[in-house]
Amino acid sequence: MERDLFYEIINDKSHEFFKNMKNPKSEEAERCRNFCSEIYRKFDKYFDKDFKMRFPMETPARFSEMFFMQAFVSAGWDPVMPSRRIDFRFRRAGSRDLVVEVVTPELVDGHGHVTALPNGMISREWDGSHREKALLRLTSAFYSKYKIIEEAISRNYIDENDYRIIGISGLRVRVEGGWSLGYWGNPPDFAEAFLPIGKRYYDIPLVGGLPDLNENRANYSYSDTIKRDLRADVRRDAFVSGNFPKVNAIAYANPDLLDFEDVSKNFAVLHNSSSSWRHGDFVIGCGQEYFVGVAEGSFSITRKLRPDLVDE
């Protein structure tokens, strides 16, 4: 009972996620409940002391913390007692420590554009404006956690030689952004919040006057800001600007609520080329990692796909 996350009764403050797992009516809900119970049983000492009390009201955020815990463990990292003000610390033989701050941005508009269908069902669609708002959620989450890491360094809670990561969970916002982790060789969608990557377009050569779709190549326009209605635009060049040297990487997760076998494949890492890290490439061991190279007037992204995975 001491480690039971679901001992609380449901009340008007309980999150819908908690209600669904407390009394599971589907195989998926029961699988999520089992995952949460198992991770908390194994690693409860590494979570905040009030984690269990807050879990029923803040279920998405707490679930995301458990997801990242298991993701880093399955990538070969061992949790150790965290530093003050920081969510997690991980250690692996031969590597410097990881310190991780986790955040779960909320939906901007979970309803999207709703269309009534003749059969009584409804259709929901999220357009480019929703995607821009979702990107703004990522930048806002990054800025808030950056301040925490910056303060932790200034107070000597963490060391400059720790590899400092902000873990962003897409559990809530991915429905609006349609995020992918970047399979098929494309940059990951979440990187558009931290690199000046604009709209995608394609170069399609003509062969005999007809487009050769087998030879199309994706390109991206340059855009270092995200538009906001009636407000100042927000910059999205944090990882090439040099203005955020205290964070070494973003770990972005798309938690798969149907597959908990190897959760490390469901997150990707974007390393900050303009951080203060000076010890060479740092490989986490997750599904895929992106390293940014900066040259005069341009930048490039190199992907490392874990050897046991293939593009889907």
Side-chain angles (χ1 to χ4, degrees):
M1 181 63 69
E2 184 64 26
R3 296 186 182 182
D4 183 9
L5 276 177
F6 298 94
Y7 77 102
E8 290 277 7
I9 62 172
I10 292 173
N11 57 46
D12 59 353
K13 294 183 179 180
S14 299
H15 195 280
E16 287 299 318
F17 282 20
F18 179 79
K19 295 176 184 177
N20 291 340
M21 288 190 285
K22 170 81 174 176
N23 299 307
K25 294 181 173 61
S26 68
E27 194 175 309
E28 291 79 9
E30 186 161 1
R31 191 179 298 128
C32 287
R33 174 180 173 135
N34 292 340
F35 172 80
C36 292
S37 296
E38 178 68 10
I39 298 304
Y40 188 71
R41 183 187 64 80
K42 285 182 178 178
F43 304 114
D44 69 303
K45 70 179 181 179
Y46 302 111
F47 296 112
D48 292 337
K49 291 181 179 179
D50 61 352
F51 184 96
K52 186 169 66 171
M53 181 184 72
R54 294 165 63 185
F55 180 75
M57 292 82 74
E58 304 173 357
T59 314
R62 305 307 137 209
F63 174 89
S64 295
E65 289 181 16
M66 290 189 285
F67 183 92
F68 271 112
M69 169 62 77
Q70 180 60 19
F72 282 105
V73 168
S74 62
W77 294 86
D78 296 317
V80 295
M81 294 308 295
S83 309
R84 291 178 62 186
R85 297 285 288 135
I86 295 297
D87 288 330
F88 302 126
R89 177 178 287 273
F90 296 94
R91 192 162 290 161
R92 184 171 65 189
S95 291
R96 298 176 188 265
D97 283 7
L98 296 180
V99 292
V100 182
E101 265 292 300
V102 177
V103 61
T104 307
E106 284 292 324
L107 289 167
V108 179
D109 173 11
H111 300 293
H113 299 298
V114 178
T115 304
L117 302 177
N119 59 3
M121 303 293 284
I122 62 171
S123 170
R124 298 185 190 274
E125 296 180 358
W126 287 267
D127 59 18
S129 66
H130 289 95
R131 183 182 175 86
E132 294 287 286
K133 290 175 181 176
L135 286 172
L136 288 170
R137 288 285 179 168
L138 300 192
T139 58
S140 177
F142 171 79
Y143 295 147
S144 66
K145 290 298 184 179
Y146 185 88
K147 291 177 182 177
I148 290 175
I149 290 177
E150 192 173 40
E151 180 187 1
I153 293 173
S154 69
R155 293 177 178 269
N156 295 318
Y157 297 155
I158 59 178
D159 191 90
E160 286 275 7
N161 289 318
D162 293 329
Y163 202 75
R164 304 173 297 275
I165 295 177
I166 295 176
I168 300 180
S169 169
L171 182 65
R172 303 289 283 154
V173 297
R174 67 177 177 179
V175 67
E176 295 174 323
W179 313 121
S180 86
L181 297 180
Y183 285 106
W184 311 292
N186 294 318
D189 293 319
F190 72 89
E192 294 176 24
F194 310 106
L195 293 171
I197 301 173
K199 294 185 181 299
R200 184 187 308 180
Y201 64 93
Y202 290 90
D203 288 329
I204 303 176
L206 295 178
V207 178
L210 297 174
D212 184 358
L213 299 180
N214 293 320
E215 295 296 330
N216 70 84
R217 186 177 64 181
N219 292 289
Y220 296 83
S221 60
Y222 180 91
S223 172
D224 57 11
T225 58
I226 303 172
K227 301 294 183 183
R228 289 197 299 180
D229 295 336
L230 305 178
R231 299 172 68 185
D233 296 344
V234 173
R235 297 199 66 82
R236 56 162 152 203
D237 58 356
F239 276 22
V240 294
S241 68
N243 295 328
F244 300 92
K246 305 298 185 183
V247 167
N248 303 122
I250 292 288
Y252 179 84
N254 268 343
D256 186 344
L257 303 184
L258 301 178
D259 180 11
F260 295 113
E261 291 300 316
D262 178 9
V263 297
S264 67
K265 69 183 180 183
N266 290 322
F267 83 103
V269 171
L270 176 69
H271 296 270
N272 182 7
S273 62
S274 62
S275 78
S276 56
W277 184 257
R278 295 294 179 268
H279 305 290
D281 288 350
F282 195 100
V283 178
I284 306 298
C286 60
Q288 46 199 320
E289 304 188 42
Y290 296 88
F291 298 86
V292 181
V294 179
E296 185 69 31
S298 66
F299 70 93
S300 60
I301 303 175
T302 302
R303 181 183 66 156
K304 290 186 178 180
L305 183 67
R306 208 171 67 188
D308 60 312
L309 298 179
V310 295
D311 280 342
E312 297 178 348

